[in-house]
């Protein structure tokens, strides 16, 4: 293969002094062109890589400001919050952005549920920016090889690819620095991780093919492959990159997820190592690798440190519940916010000890108000049995009464960005095991209720499950919570059982068939009319907070209804002044 390592001596940066040009073979215009901005090979890293960095940093800064305004809104006292809501410009701008954030698109022919429209708009903006940065400057190919053997379009797309790398990696981390600034939890940044990966892949192809075409035309392809470092290392990087981007595509990833999960770290390591050698300290190319290593290293060390802090001697017990559900209980004194999740590593489950899996905590931490009502002092999580580790947990439960395993806890992460107690009315919507996310939020409102500071006066929880047996997961907790509701706070719980007609995972909204009432807790036979429930709940004065967690079809209906309510606020035709919705992922590919 000829050279298999770096040029010597190895430097931090290669020199910027132009060399190798045959100026006598160029026209004066060509000689001038190769020294101008956007065309100069020796400043291409400043022109294209830095511009890429500035673009990402500007976006992060902008959304950081939005997050700051959002946080200030939620720490204001009740009187100030009411004043802010009455500012027409504020309410309409917020409504427009939230209408995009709530709406999704469903494509039946491929059974595809899109990310929120707000994410699509951001991704489209990224694509337009990088397309313009790649194709706006001419020429794409030097008209005279004396001007350089690196085609201009290949040079610029290569630098764009390198500069994307640190952001691509940071988008995927759990202790996420971008999330800290923008207030967006790591699992919601995964969509940008996947799309920046695709953008980097496309710019990498644009970087690659002009060299191939040029060298084949010159008859130098075979010689360069055997004698030059850049040729084969580029291919060595492109192969695992191709595997990674295609395997991360939704339908493929969902079908072969175990394969993707087990091989992604190895493929990523090969990709980065080959790309590092391929760059061969050209100009400032290695700076982006050092930045990537530093950012990823800080995140990894933070996760490891947090895991050690959470304790190395945690024990989890397992219990089988109706409807293919496993309850996992871990005694602890750790703290977390309602709705947050931990990554749990089961050390005594064989090969599954190699990976950790995210589970939402359905209880409140010890020492907080209401902890006694939600089994405070223990982490309780619920795992729907599908495959992999959940199938193993189910098998363990069938082997006896209660089984146990030593576990490592990494977290907590996520949770609702907003404080639901700052809204006049709160609507919780849960499908199946999505109830584990909304129950601690309900407990938090009930047991931290303060007439003077809490604006929330009405809570309605809607829970849809397959069979009546599934209600046993939380029926006692819900009944106890209703009984313990403080004066001034109204709580209504509506449970729906879809029976054996259509599972809630595939259900769309329709009217319930029959209803039985036990005070504020009603049990309905049929599927909830989600869009109607949302619209009726928002058809009163005041601000509305909504938290939802359920299957894709469930949250699609909820999001569509919320988007319509936001548009009504934007047009000035809504009775409510504000609608805030937090959508929690029902099933997320977050294992690590």
């Amino acid at each position: 293969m000829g050279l298999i390592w770096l040029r010597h001596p190895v430097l931090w940066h290669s020199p910027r002094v132009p060399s190798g040009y045959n100026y006598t073979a160029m026209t004066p215009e060509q000689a001038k062109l190769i020294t101008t901005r956007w065309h100069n090979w020796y400043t291409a890293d400043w022109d294209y890589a830095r511009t890429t960095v500035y673009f990402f940093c500007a976006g992060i800064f902008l959304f950081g400001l939005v997050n700051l305004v959002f946080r200030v809104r939620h720490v204001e006292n009740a009187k100030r919050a009411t004043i802010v809501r009455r500012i027409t410009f504020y309410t309409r701008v917020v409504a427009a952005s939230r209408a995009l954030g709530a709406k999704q698109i469903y494509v039946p022919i491929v059974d595809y549920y899109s990310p929120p429209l707000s994410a699509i708009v951001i991704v489209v903006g990224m694509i337009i920016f990088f397309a313009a940065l790649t194709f706006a400057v001419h020429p794409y190919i030097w008209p005279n090889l004396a001007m350089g053997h690196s085609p201009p379009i290949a040079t610029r797309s290569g630098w764009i690819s390198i500069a994307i790398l640190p952001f691509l990696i940071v988008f995927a981390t759990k202790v996420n620095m971008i999330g800290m600034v923008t207030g967006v939890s790591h699992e919601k940044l995964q969509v940008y991780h996947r799309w920046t990966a695709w953008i980097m892949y496309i710019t990498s192809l644009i970087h690659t093919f002009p060299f191939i075409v040029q060298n084949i035309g010159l008859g130098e392809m075979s010689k360069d492959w055997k004698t030059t470092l850049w040729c084969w290392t580029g291919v060595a990087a492109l192969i695992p990159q191709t595997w990674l981007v295609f395997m991360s595509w939704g339908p493929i990833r969902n079908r072969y997820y175990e394969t993707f999960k087990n091989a992604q770290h190895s493929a990523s390591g090969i990709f980065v190592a080959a790309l590092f050698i391929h760059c061969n300290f050209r100009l400032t190319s290695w700076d982006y690798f050092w930045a990537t290593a530093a950012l990823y290293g800080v995140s990894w060390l933070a996760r490891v440190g947090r895991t050690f802090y959470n304790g190395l001697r945690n024990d989890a017990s397992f219990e089988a519940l109706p409807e293919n559900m496993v309850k996992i209980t871990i005694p602890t004194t750790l703290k977390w916010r309602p709705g947050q999740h931990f990554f749990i590593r089961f050390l005594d489950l064989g090969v599954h000890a190699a990976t950790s899996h995210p589970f939402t905590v359905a209880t409140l931490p010890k020492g907080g108000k209401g902890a006694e009502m939600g089994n405070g002092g223990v982490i309780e999580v619920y795992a729907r049995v599908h495959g992999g580790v959940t199938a193993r947990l189910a098998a363990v439960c069938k082997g006896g009464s209660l089984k146990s395993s030593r576990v490592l806890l990494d977290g907590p992460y996520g949770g609702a960005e907003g404080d639901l107690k700052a809204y006049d009315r709160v609507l919780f919507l849960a499908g199946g095991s999505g109830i584990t996310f909304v129950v601690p939020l309900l407990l938090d409102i009930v047991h931290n209720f303060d007439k003077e500071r809490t604006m929330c006066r009405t809570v309605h929880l809607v829970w849809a499950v397959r069979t009546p047996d599934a209600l046993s997961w939380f029926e006692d907790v819900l009944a106890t919570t209703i009984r313990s509701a403080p004066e001034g706070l109204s709580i209504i719980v509506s449970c729906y059982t879809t029976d054996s007609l259509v599972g809630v995972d595939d259900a769309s909204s329709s009217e319930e068939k029959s209803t039985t009432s036990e005070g504020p807790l009603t049990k309905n036979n049929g599927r909830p009319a989600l869009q109607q429930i949302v619209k009726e709940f928002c058809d009163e004065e005041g601000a509305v907070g909504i938290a939802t967690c359920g299957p894709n079809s469930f949250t699609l209906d909820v999001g569509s209804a919320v988007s319509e309510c936001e548009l009504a606020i934007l047009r000035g035709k809504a009775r409510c002044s504000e609608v805030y919705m937090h959508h929690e992922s029902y099933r997320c590919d977050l294992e690590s």
Side-chain angles (χ1 to χ4, degrees), residues 150-164:
S150 179
I153 195 170
T155 299
R156 69 185 72 141
S157 57
W159 283 112
I160 291 170
S161 300
I162 293 299
I164 288 175

Side-chain angles (χ1 to χ4, degrees), residues 33 337 377 537 547:
L33 180 64
R337 290 188 291 108
F537 196 80

Side-chain angles (χ1 to χ4, degrees), residues 362-401:
T363 51
L364 296 180
K366 184 177 182 179
K369 286 187 177 180
E372 67 283 355
M373 304 305 302
N375 292 335
V378 298
I379 290 176
E380 285 186 2
V381 300
Y382 293 74
R384 172 79 74 176
V385 178
H386 291 286
V389 69
T390 56
R392 176 66 175 139
L393 289 171
V396 167
C397 290
K398 290 179 181 178
S401 53

Side-chain angles (χ1 to χ4, degrees), residues 322-344:
E323 287 296 297
N324 281 332
M325 185 68 74
V326 174
K327 178 182 177 181
I328 304 166
T329 304
I330 307 170
T332 184
T333 58
L334 297 177
K335 300 294 182 182
W336 61 90
R337 290 188 291 108
Q340 289 192 301
H341 59 268
F342 282 84
F343 283 82
I344 303 178

Side-chain angles (χ1 to χ4, degrees), residues 152-450:
I153 195 170
T155 299
R156 69 185 72 141
S157 57
W159 283 112
I160 291 170
S161 300
I162 293 299
I164 288 175
L165 180 62
F167 298 94
L168 164 68
I169 298 300
V170 173
F171 277 132
T173 56
K174 305 301 182 291
V175 180
N176 198 294
M177 297 180 188
I178 295 176
M180 294 176 188
V181 175
T182 61
V184 180
S185 185
H186 69 92
E187 72 274 11
K188 291 182 172 59
L189 293 174
Q190 291 295 311
V191 62
Y192 306 111
H193 167 66
R194 287 192 281 268
W195 275 103
T196 51
W198 274 102
I199 293 171
M200 182 181 179
Y201 180 63
I202 293 170
T203 54
S204 298
L205 293 177
I206 296 172
H207 170 74
T208 301
F209 284 108
F211 282 109
I212 295 175
V213 172
Q214 178 175 284
N215 286 351
I216 289 176
L218 296 173
E220 298 178 352
M221 191 69 213
S222 178
K223 181 191 73 172
D224 284 346
W225 178 264
K226 294 177 181 178
T227 61
T228 61
L229 179 73
W230 59 265
C231 190
W232 70 265
T233 53
V235 174
L238 200 59
I239 290 173
Q241 185 183 21
T242 302
W243 186 88
L244 285 166
V245 295
F246 278 96
M247 284 298 294
S248 66
W249 186 47
I252 298 177
R253 184 184 70 249
N254 293 339
R255 182 164 184 174
Y256 302 104
Y257 186 70
E258 290 298 321
T259 300
F260 175 71
K261 180 182 66 177
N262 293 330
Q264 64 172 325
H265 295 297
S266 299
S268 299
I270 296 171
F271 164 64
V272 173
L275 187 60
F276 181 81
I277 300 171
H278 178 71
C279 290
N280 205 12
F281 62 88
R282 290 286 197 279
L283 301 177
T284 58
S285 58
W286 276 6
D287 290 357
Y288 297 91
F289 290 91
W290 309 139
T292 301
L295 293 170
Y296 181 80
V298 168
S299 175
W300 183 82
L301 288 173
R303 291 190 66 189
V304 172
R306 179 180 283 182
T307 301
F308 274 90
Y309 176 81
N310 290 343
L312 303 179
R313 301 183 62 83
N314 296 297
D315 294 307
S317 58
F318 314 131
E319 179 183 0
L321 298 179
E323 287 296 297
N324 281 332
M325 185 68 74
V326 174
K327 178 182 177 181
I328 304 166
T329 304
I330 307 170
T332 184
T333 58
L334 297 177
K335 300 294 182 182
W336 61 90
R337 290 188 291 108
Q340 289 192 301
H341 59 268
F342 282 84
F343 283 82
I344 303 178
R345 188 183 303 270
F346 300 93
L347 300 179
D348 297 331
L349 294 188
V351 295
H352 298 291
T355 57
S356 59
H357 304 261
F359 297 96
T360 301
V361 183
T363 51
L364 296 180
K366 184 177 182 179
K369 286 187 177 180
E372 67 283 355
M373 304 305 302
N375 292 335
V378 298
I379 290 176
E380 285 186 2
V381 300
Y382 293 74
R384 172 79 74 176
V385 178
H386 291 286
V389 69
T390 56
R392 176 66 175 139
L393 289 171
V396 167
C397 290
K398 290 179 181 178
S401 53
L402 284 178
K403 299 293 183 180
S404 64
S405 169
R406 292 176 299 122
V407 296
L408 297 179
L409 299 173
D410 174 19
Y413 298 102
E417 292 95 351
D419 182 3
L420 294 173
K421 296 188 291 295
Y423 295 88
D424 301 302
R425 299 189 312 285
V426 175
L427 175 63
F428 293 117
L429 299 153
S433 59
I435 189 68
T436 60
F437 173 73
V438 302
V439 161
L441 296 175
L442 171 65
L443 295 174
D444 181 58
I445 291 177
V446 171
H447 300 291
N448 290 285
F449 182 80
D450 186 318

